[in-house]
Amino acid sequence: MATSTKILALAVLAVLPLLMNASTCIGPQVTSNVYTTSEASMSISTVFVVEVAVKCNNGEKDLLLFADVNGHMVPATQSGTGKFQVSWSDEHKKLPAGTYGVRFFDEEGYNAVRKEKRSGTDGSTVTPIFTVNVKHSGTWTGPYVQTEFVATCVALLVWYMAYRSKSFLMS
Amino acid sequence: MASRKQKLTKEEELLLQDFSRNVSTKSSALFYGNSLIVSAIPLWLFWRIHQMDPYQSGILFAIMTAISTYLVSYAYRNVKFVLKHKVAVKREEAVTREVMKKVADDKKMSKKEKDERILWKKNEVADYEATTFSIFYNNALYLVLIILASFYVLRSLNPNVNYVLSVASASGLLALFSTSTK
């Protein structure tokens, strides 16, 4: 009796993974579109937007993705079938120019990262489904010298030349 | 006793013209034309940089441009008058040399005629140089005043107020400075 119970339990455990609805993407083909803030004079913070289109070799469509953004795990918003979007923002100086690697995980990977972080590590040992490299060329803060200052200097220079000529004529 | 009507000599006419602040019709047209163009420059500045709507502020633009045109041409006239005599003194030697070179071979011309011709040429050169220099100097000063007023002194004000005060102060100061004899 005890032996039959044990066999039944093992059989259920063996079949259970097949009955679960956990979706895993095998061999993902990823196309990404990235936007980063380029001008700081008209905005108060730098924004990163990453759009990915994922096609799985196993035909998986019901994906649930999470992205590791600067050490924080955020869910990726689904914007269409197989299309996901992640965005984040921060002050200009906290997001300088450079390449930012955004790791994408499925549900399993997300749980693994969370488990590692709870045990004190940063979760970097967990392998993501795919990684998107975001190249940020920095933000333009405006010209070093304001244009009205340049215009004022040129106008003053021309007037000064005229004033000198006038002084010479009046002497 | 019959009154004698004396006709003015050419020399006296030139002297009268010299000491008069009145300008010829041609000079007047030149002054008003230039002052209109210069007074219209702030319109572009306030339309494109300070974002004033030209249709909404059309009447304001027209009034201030007209006032500025009058004051700037007034400044042109004053500065020209002051400069003309100084230029005449500076150019006298060169003009005399040039005219004498031209009339040296003319034996029929009397010394008086030659002197009149020199005086006339000197007046013409001084008039032209003083006119063009007056326009140049006043335009440069007007633009400096407009830029300083609109971008620095009055930058925090509403664009309409900024425009009125900038143009009024620039053209007013220009007219004021032109009354100086130095």
Side-chain angles (χ1 to χ4, degrees), chain B residues 43-113:
Chain B
L43 295 181
W44 179 84
L45 187 77
F46 279 86
W47 172 33
R48 301 308 291 258
I49 309 293
H50 294 274
Q51 301 286 302
M52 276 178 76
D53 184 28
Y55 295 107
Q56 277 181 358
S57 315
I59 295 171
L60 192 67
F61 281 162
I63 293 169
M64 291 314 296
T65 302
I67 293 171
S68 176
T69 301
Y70 175 74
L71 289 171
V72 172
S73 64
Y74 174 79
Y76 285 158
R77 259 196 302 273
N78 286 347
V79 172
K80 180 209 164 173
F81 177 75
V82 168
L83 278 176
K84 190 174 167 182
H85 301 98
K86 300 288 182 179
V87 169
V89 167
K90 284 256 176 344
R91 306 286 177 241
E92 186 173 7
E93 202 184 310
V95 168
T96 307
R97 212 173 331 138
E98 195 190 317
V99 173
M100 287 307 283
K101 212 191 282 181
K102 277 187 188 166
V103 301
D105 298 327
D106 193 346
K107 305 288 178 199
K108 287 179 190 173
M109 204 181 284
S110 65
K111 192 179 180 310
K112 192 182 170 196
E113 267 183 37

Side-chain angles (χ1 to χ4, degrees), chain B residues 6 19 28 51-52 56 70 78 89 97 106 113 123 140 146-148 150 152 167 177 181-182:
Chain B
Q6 267 185 310
F19 288 96
S28 189
Q51 301 286 302
M52 276 178 76
Q56 277 181 358
Y70 175 74
N78 286 347
V89 167
R97 212 173 331 138
D106 193 346
E113 267 183 37
N123 190 60
I146 277 281
I147 289 173
L148 284 173
S150 66
Y152 293 100
V167 171
F177 293 152
T181 50
K182 286 185 184 172

Side-chain angles (χ1 to χ4, degrees), chain B residues 1 16-17 19 31 33 35 52 69 82 90 121 146 161:
Chain B
M1 203 173 178
L16 269 173
Q17 199 185 28
F19 288 96
F31 281 162
S35 61
M52 276 178 76
T69 301
V82 168
K90 284 256 176 344
K121 185 70 181 172
I146 277 281
V161 177

Side-chain angles (χ1 to χ4, degrees), chain A residues 43-73:
Chain A
S43 55
I44 53 170
S45 52
T46 297
V47 173
F48 282 42
V49 179
V50 179
E51 280 181 343
V52 291
V54 184
K55 202 173 170 184
C56 305
N57 280 348
N58 61 342
E60 185 55 59
K61 285 191 181 5
D62 292 328
L63 274 178
L64 197 63
L65 288 182
F66 298 85
D68 180 1
V69 167
N70 282 347
H72 301 288
M73 293 296 280

Side-chain angles (χ1 to χ4, degrees), chain A residues 92-115:
Chain A
H92 296 300
K93 55 186 177 193
K94 288 186 180 171
L95 292 174
T99 305
Y100 297 78
V102 182
R103 302 186 304 157
F104 283 81
F105 300 93
D106 57 4
E107 223 178 323
E108 208 178 299
Y110 170 67
N111 289 329
V113 169
R114 275 183 63 191
K115 197 174 169 184

